[in-house]
Amino acid sequence: MAEIYEEEKSKGFDLQRIRDLVQRRHMMFLVPLFAGWLLVWGLSFALPKKYKSTTLILVQEPTMPKNYVLPNISDNLQDRLQSITQQLESRTRLLTIIRQLHLNQRDGRTVSPDSAVEAMRKEIDVELVRDSSGLINAFKVSYRASSPQIAQQVVGELTTNFMNENLAARQMLSQDATKFLQGQLETARQQLADQEVKVRGFETAHQGELPDQQTSNLQILNGLEGQLQGQQDSLRAAMQQRSYYQSLVEQYRAAAPVRTADGAPTGLAAMDMQLQTLRTQLADLSTRYTDAYPDVQNLKGQIAKLEKQRAALAAQLKTRSSGEQAGAAALENGPLAQAESQLHAIDTEITTRQQAITQVQAKISDYQGRLNAAPAAQQELSDLNRGYTQSQSDYNDLLKKENESQMATSMEQMQQGERFTMQDPPNLPTTPDFPNPLKFCAIGLAFGLVLGVGLVVALEFIDDRMHMGEEIREMLPIPVISEIPEIVTAADVRTSRRRVMVGWATAAVVVVTMLFGAAMSYLRS
């Protein structure tokens, strides 16, 4: 039977059942509704009031265009503003404000700094303001306190200290960046100087072997080879003359003072042979060199001198005096002395030529060594120059960055960079932000409705009585033939009317009271 009842009950309520439910349970609904609303709404009067002060901080971009002066600190404003809450709620900043405004005093006792900081953080609210493109261009800072003056002071101190510290922090970061670049620039300058010393030392140690001297070394080497060839030619000519004069001296010494068949002395014939030899050598040199060549001029001088000697000898032979043997000896001894003198001069010339050839060969070997060492020197110098070029490039790059950083630091010190501006100063609240009576009134109404409906549902769930004839008819397996009408007395009628009047009166009181409370809450808000 109970299962059938539960099954029929699960079908839902029609209008008649709802009217019956309202008639039976209206007081069970109105009383919890009013009690729940009154409880929550009354809390708005009992809870301690908190006043909220708000300020608007506008983020201003640098007045100087970035293509004129590049900032030397992080310019990612959006990332920094995302962490604005952590910056505002830093423990050091909050402790400073707490000590300054004596916010660590509660009910005549001093709370710990950590508790005061945590309590203050709960009352701080930071709201980021975005523009139409979604970028953050401002933020609101709010603080709630039991006193409107305290709320205004805290917001003012909080935002002022934050803006001042942000400005000082930006200037310090800019100065630190400039100092860092100056240190790096000094290091780069020292490295550049070291590289320059190495290059100079290498050039000094390898003077004559440098790549830019290779052309001059080749020219000098060609000139030295020409000089060597000339000295060797002169040496060969001197050796030939020495051979001739050596044979001439031997002839003079071996020759006797006798006459030939025609009566001419043998010394004169020897001079003729010598002249013929010199003239042959002159003709040979003239085919290869000009008249200004030293060996050509030397042979011409020897020929002229020998011709004079021959002329003198011939004159002496024609005019010789008595004493033929003594005169002949005198005539023969004069050309012999001259030939020996000429031989001695040629020996000296040969020695000089040989020394000159040795010196030229030494110079040629030296320049050939320089040319051979040039590739290795060029490679080593290229490595040094590459290091020097890299050091110079690093130095120039750091110098440019250091100049730009100094300009950015000057801009920050002149407060021409990015900065925060207090667009709206902290307001002095005239009404408390918490508790909000109108919100509490609405919350109380919702709470009362839930409480009343829940009580009615609970009572209906545990009530197993049947209050309507339709419920009985639905439970009977056979149709009902007749019904006994309810016998209602006058007392029952009066009781029913009184119950209805009390219900309506209670509903009117509840509604009027709640409307009056809502009006009061609206006026208070």
Coordinates of all heavy atoms in Angstrom, one line a residue, residues 17-63:
R17 N -3.9 20.3 -5.7 CA -3.0 19.8 -4.7 C -2.1 21.0 -4.2 O -1.8 21.1 -3.0 CB -2.1 18.7 -5.2 CG -2.9 17.4 -5.4 CD -2.0 16.3 -5.9 NE -2.7 15.1 -6.0 CZ -2.2 13.9 -6.4 NH1 -0.9 13.9 -6.8 NH2 -2.9 12.8 -6.5
I18 N -1.7 21.9 -5.1 CA -0.9 23.0 -4.7 C -1.7 23.9 -3.8 O -1.2 24.4 -2.8 CB -0.4 23.7 -6.0 CG1 0.6 22.8 -6.8 CG2 0.3 25.0 -5.6 CD1 1.0 23.4 -8.1
R19 N -3.0 24.2 -4.2 CA -3.8 25.0 -3.3 C -3.9 24.4 -1.9 O -3.9 25.1 -0.9 CB -5.1 25.2 -3.9 CG -5.1 26.1 -5.2 CD -6.5 26.2 -5.8 NE -7.4 26.8 -4.8 CZ -8.8 26.9 -5.0 NH1 -9.3 26.4 -6.1 NH2 -9.5 27.4 -4.0
D20 N -4.1 23.1 -1.9 CA -4.3 22.4 -0.6 C -3.0 22.5 0.2 O -3.0 22.7 1.4 CB -4.6 20.9 -0.9 CG -4.7 20.1 0.4 OD1 -5.7 20.4 1.2 OD2 -3.8 19.3 0.6
L21 N -1.8 22.3 -0.6 CA -0.5 22.4 0.1 C -0.3 23.8 0.7 O 0.2 24.0 1.8 CB 0.6 22.1 -0.9 CG 2.0 22.1 -0.3 CD1 2.2 21.1 0.8 CD2 3.0 21.9 -1.4
V22 N -0.7 24.8 0.0 CA -0.5 26.2 0.5 C -1.4 26.4 1.7 O -1.0 27.1 2.7 CB -0.9 27.2 -0.7 CG1 -0.9 28.7 -0.1 CG2 0.2 27.1 -1.8
Q23 N -2.6 25.9 1.6 CA -3.5 26.1 2.8 C -3.0 25.4 4.0 O -3.1 26.0 5.1 CB -4.9 25.6 2.4 CG -5.7 26.5 1.4 CD -7.0 25.9 1.0 OE1 -7.4 24.8 1.5 NE2 -7.7 26.5 0.1
R24 N -2.4 24.3 3.8 CA -1.9 23.5 5.0 C -0.6 24.0 5.5 O -0.3 23.9 6.7 CB -1.9 22.0 4.6 CG -3.3 21.4 4.5 CD -3.2 19.9 4.2 NE -2.6 19.5 3.0 CZ -1.4 19.1 2.8 NH1 -0.6 18.9 3.9 NH2 -0.9 18.7 1.6
R25 N 0.3 24.4 4.5 CA 1.7 24.6 4.9 C 2.2 26.1 4.8 O 3.4 26.3 4.9 CB 2.6 23.7 4.0 CG 2.3 22.3 4.0 CD 2.6 21.6 5.4 NE 2.4 20.2 5.3 CZ 2.5 19.4 6.4 NH1 2.7 19.9 7.6 NH2 2.3 18.1 6.2
H26 N 1.3 27.0 4.6 CA 1.7 28.4 4.4 C 2.5 29.0 5.6 O 3.5 29.7 5.4 CB 0.5 29.3 4.0 CG -0.5 29.4 5.1 ND1 -1.5 28.5 5.2 CD2 -0.7 30.4 6.0 CE1 -2.3 28.9 6.3 NE2 -1.8 30.0 6.8
M27 N 2.1 28.7 6.7 CA 2.8 29.2 7.9 C 4.2 28.5 8.0 O 5.1 29.1 8.5 CB 2.0 28.9 9.2 CG 0.7 29.7 9.2 SD 1.0 31.5 9.1 CE 1.8 31.8 10.7
M28 N 4.3 27.2 7.6 CA 5.5 26.5 7.6 C 6.5 27.1 6.6 O 7.7 26.9 6.7 CB 5.3 25.0 7.4 CG 4.5 24.3 8.4 SD 5.1 24.5 10.1 CE 3.9 23.7 11.0
F29 N 6.0 27.8 5.6 CA 6.8 28.4 4.6 C 7.2 29.9 5.0 O 8.3 30.3 4.8 CB 6.1 28.4 3.2 CG 6.8 29.2 2.2 CD1 8.0 28.7 1.6 CD2 6.3 30.4 1.8 CE1 8.6 29.4 0.6 CE2 7.0 31.1 0.8 CZ 8.1 30.6 0.2
L30 N 6.2 30.6 5.5 CA 6.4 32.1 5.7 C 7.3 32.3 6.9 O 8.2 33.2 6.9 CB 5.0 32.7 6.0 CG 4.1 32.9 4.8 CD1 2.7 33.4 5.2 CD2 4.7 33.7 3.7
V31 N 7.2 31.5 7.9 CA 8.0 31.7 9.1 C 9.5 31.4 8.8 O 10.3 32.3 9.1 CB 7.5 30.8 10.3 CG1 8.5 30.8 11.5 CG2 6.1 31.2 10.7
P32 N 9.9 30.3 8.2 CA 11.3 30.1 7.9 C 11.8 31.2 6.9 O 12.9 31.6 6.9 CB 11.4 28.7 7.3 CG 10.2 28.0 7.8 CD 9.1 29.1 7.9
L33 N 10.9 31.6 5.9 CA 11.3 32.6 5.0 C 11.7 33.9 5.7 O 12.7 34.5 5.4 CB 10.2 32.8 4.0 CG 10.3 34.0 3.0 CD1 11.5 33.8 2.1 CD2 9.1 34.2 2.2
F34 N 10.8 34.3 6.6 CA 11.0 35.6 7.3 C 12.2 35.4 8.2 O 13.0 36.4 8.3 CB 9.8 36.0 8.0 CG 9.9 37.3 8.8 CD1 9.9 38.5 8.1 CD2 10.1 37.3 10.1 CE1 10.1 39.7 8.7 CE2 10.2 38.5 10.8 CZ 10.2 39.7 10.1
A35 N 12.3 34.3 8.9 CA 13.4 34.1 9.8 C 14.8 34.1 9.1 O 15.7 34.7 9.6 CB 13.2 32.8 10.6
G36 N 14.8 33.4 8.0 CA 16.1 33.3 7.3 C 16.5 34.7 6.7 O 17.7 35.1 6.8
W37 N 15.5 35.4 6.1 CA 15.8 36.7 5.6 C 16.2 37.7 6.7 O 17.2 38.4 6.6 CB 14.5 37.3 4.9 CG 14.7 38.7 4.5 CD1 15.3 39.2 3.4 CD2 14.3 39.9 5.2 NE1 15.3 40.6 3.4 CE2 14.7 41.0 4.5 CE3 13.6 40.0 6.5 CZ2 14.4 42.3 4.9 CZ3 13.3 41.3 6.9 CH2 13.7 42.5 6.1
L38 N 15.5 37.6 7.8 CA 15.8 38.6 8.9 C 17.2 38.3 9.5 O 17.9 39.2 9.9 CB 14.7 38.4 10.0 CG 14.9 39.4 11.2 CD1 14.7 40.8 10.7 CD2 13.8 39.1 12.3
L39 N 17.6 37.0 9.6 CA 18.9 36.6 10.1 C 20.0 37.2 9.2 O 20.9 37.8 9.7 CB 19.0 35.1 10.2 CG 20.4 34.6 10.7 CD1 20.7 35.0 12.1 CD2 20.4 33.1 10.6
V40 N 19.9 36.9 7.9 CA 21.0 37.4 7.0 C 21.0 38.9 6.9 O 22.0 39.6 6.9 CB 20.8 36.7 5.6 CG1 21.9 37.3 4.7 CG2 20.9 35.2 5.7
W41 N 19.8 39.5 6.8 CA 19.7 41.0 6.7 C 20.2 41.6 7.9 O 20.8 42.7 7.9 CB 18.3 41.4 6.3 CG 18.1 42.9 6.1 CD1 18.6 43.6 5.1 CD2 17.4 43.8 7.0 NE1 18.2 44.9 5.3 CE2 17.5 45.0 6.4 CE3 16.7 43.6 8.2 CZ2 16.9 46.2 7.0 CZ3 16.1 44.7 8.7 CH2 16.2 46.0 8.2
G42 N 19.9 41.0 9.1 CA 20.4 41.6 10.3 C 21.9 41.6 10.5 O 22.5 42.4 11.2
L43 N 22.5 40.6 9.8 CA 24.0 40.6 9.8 C 24.6 41.8 9.2 O 25.7 42.2 9.6 CB 24.5 39.3 9.1 CG 24.3 38.0 9.8 CD1 24.8 36.8 8.9 CD2 25.0 37.9 11.2
S44 N 23.9 42.4 8.3 CA 24.5 43.6 7.6 C 24.6 44.8 8.6 O 25.3 45.7 8.4 CB 23.6 44.0 6.5 OG 22.3 44.4 6.9
F45 N 23.8 44.7 9.7 CA 23.9 45.7 10.8 C 24.9 45.3 11.9 O 25.5 46.2 12.5 CB 22.5 46.0 11.4 CG 21.5 46.5 10.4 CD1 20.7 45.7 9.7 CD2 21.4 47.9 10.2 CE1 19.8 46.2 8.8 CE2 20.5 48.4 9.3 CZ 19.7 47.6 8.6
A46 N 25.1 44.0 12.0 CA 25.9 43.5 13.1 C 27.4 43.4 12.7 O 28.3 43.6 13.5 CB 25.4 42.2 13.6
L47 N 27.7 43.1 11.4 CA 29.0 42.9 11.0 C 29.8 44.3 11.0 O 29.2 45.3 10.8 CB 29.1 42.3 9.6 CG 28.6 40.9 9.5 CD1 28.7 40.4 8.0 CD2 29.5 39.9 10.4
P48 N 31.1 44.3 11.3 CA 31.9 45.5 11.3 C 31.9 46.1 9.9 O 32.1 45.4 8.9 CB 33.2 45.1 11.8 CG 33.3 43.7 11.6 CD 31.9 43.1 11.7
K49 N 31.8 47.4 9.8 CA 31.8 48.1 8.5 C 33.2 48.3 8.1 O 34.1 48.6 8.8 CB 31.1 49.4 8.7 CG 29.6 49.3 9.0 CD 29.0 50.7 9.2 CE 27.5 50.6 9.5 NZ 27.2 49.8 10.7
K50 N 33.4 48.2 6.7 CA 34.7 48.4 6.1 C 34.4 49.4 4.9 O 33.5 49.2 4.1 CB 35.3 47.1 5.6 CG 35.7 46.2 6.7 CD 36.5 45.0 6.2 CE 37.0 44.1 7.4 NZ 37.8 42.9 6.9
Y51 N 35.3 50.3 4.8 CA 35.3 51.4 3.8 C 36.4 51.1 2.8 O 37.5 50.8 3.1 CB 35.4 52.8 4.4 CG 34.3 53.1 5.3 CD1 34.3 52.7 6.7 CD2 33.2 53.8 4.9 CE1 33.3 53.1 7.6 CE2 32.1 54.1 5.8 CZ 32.2 53.7 7.1 OH 31.2 54.1 7.9
K52 N 36.0 51.3 1.5 CA 36.9 51.0 0.4 C 37.3 52.3 -0.3 O 36.4 53.0 -0.8 CB 36.3 50.0 -0.6 CG 37.1 49.6 -1.7 CD 36.4 48.6 -2.6 CE 37.3 48.2 -3.8 NZ 36.6 47.2 -4.6
S53 N 38.6 52.5 -0.4 CA 39.2 53.7 -1.1 C 39.9 53.1 -2.4 O 40.6 52.1 -2.3 CB 40.1 54.5 -0.2 OG 40.7 55.6 -1.0
T54 N 39.7 53.8 -3.5 CA 40.3 53.4 -4.8 C 41.0 54.5 -5.5 O 40.6 55.7 -5.3 CB 39.2 52.8 -5.7 OG1 38.5 51.8 -5.0 CG2 39.7 52.3 -7.0
T55 N 42.1 54.2 -6.1 CA 42.8 55.1 -7.0 C 43.1 54.5 -8.3 O 43.2 53.3 -8.4 CB 44.1 55.6 -6.3 OG1 44.7 56.6 -7.1 CG2 45.1 54.5 -6.1
L56 N 43.2 55.3 -9.3 CA 43.5 54.9 -10.7 C 44.9 55.3 -11.1 O 45.2 56.5 -11.0 CB 42.5 55.4 -11.7 CG 42.7 55.0 -13.2 CD1 42.6 53.5 -13.4 CD2 41.7 55.8 -14.1
I57 N 45.8 54.4 -11.4 CA 47.2 54.7 -11.8 C 47.3 54.5 -13.3 O 47.0 53.4 -13.8 CB 48.2 53.8 -11.1 CG1 47.9 53.9 -9.6 CG2 49.6 54.2 -11.4 CD1 48.1 55.2 -9.0
L58 N 47.7 55.5 -14.0 CA 47.8 55.4 -15.5 C 49.3 55.2 -15.8 O 50.2 55.8 -15.3 CB 47.4 56.8 -16.1 CG 47.4 56.8 -17.6 CD1 46.4 55.8 -18.2 CD2 47.1 58.2 -18.1
V59 N 49.5 54.2 -16.7 CA 50.8 53.9 -17.2 C 51.1 54.7 -18.4 O 50.5 54.6 -19.5 CB 50.9 52.4 -17.5 CG1 52.4 52.1 -18.0 CG2 50.5 51.6 -16.3
Q60 N 52.1 55.6 -18.3 CA 52.4 56.5 -19.4 C 53.7 56.0 -20.1 O 54.7 55.6 -19.5 CB 52.7 57.9 -18.9 CG 51.5 58.7 -18.5 CD 51.7 60.1 -18.1 OE1 52.9 60.5 -18.0 NE2 50.7 60.9 -18.1
E61 N 53.6 55.9 -21.5 CA 54.7 55.5 -22.3 C 55.8 56.6 -22.3 O 55.6 57.7 -21.9 CB 54.3 55.2 -23.7 CG 53.3 54.1 -23.8 CD 54.0 52.7 -23.5 OE1 55.2 52.6 -23.7 OE2 53.3 51.8 -23.2
P62 N 57.1 56.2 -22.6 CA 58.2 57.2 -22.6 C 57.8 58.4 -23.6 O 57.2 58.1 -24.7 CB 59.4 56.4 -23.1 CG 59.1 55.0 -22.8 CD 57.6 54.9 -22.9
T63 N 58.1 59.6 -23.2 CA 57.9 60.8 -24.0 C 58.9 60.8 -25.2 O 58.5 61.4 -26.2 CB 58.0 62.0 -23.2 OG1 59.3 62.1 -22.6 CG2 57.0 62.1 -22.1

